[in-house]
Amino acid sequence: MMLNRLHAFTIISLGTITETLAQTTPPAAPGTPAAPATTDGGIPWLWIIIGLAIIAGLVWYFRYRR
């Protein structure tokens, strides 16, 4: 059962990555100015990952403490 889930996860992941790579824009021609960086005003992914790690640590601590 776990092997079937791994296969399904791998196929879906590869399909998503391939689709994402197909939609990327080509690099700008030499000599053209770079496009300005855009900010979306959202929470950066690093903070989301740190928050999830803290929550996972707290769950582990309260679940397995003696």
Side-chain angles (χ1 to χ4, degrees):
M1 176 131 169
M2 289 294 285
L3 193 56
N4 289 338
R5 289 183 182 177
L6 177 64
H7 288 299
F9 173 74
T10 304
I11 291 169
I12 291 171
S13 297
L14 288 175
T16 304
I17 291 171
T18 304
E19 184 178 321
T20 303
L21 289 175
Q23 294 178 0
T24 58
T25 57
T32 58
T38 59
T39 56
D40 59 355
I43 299 175
W45 285 106
L46 178 62
W47 291 111
I48 294 172
I49 293 171
I50 290 171
L52 289 174
I54 290 171
I55 291 170
L58 288 171
V59 167
W60 179 82
Y61 175 74
F62 286 116
R63 183 172 175 142
Y64 294 108
R65 69 178 177 168
R66 293 179 190 234

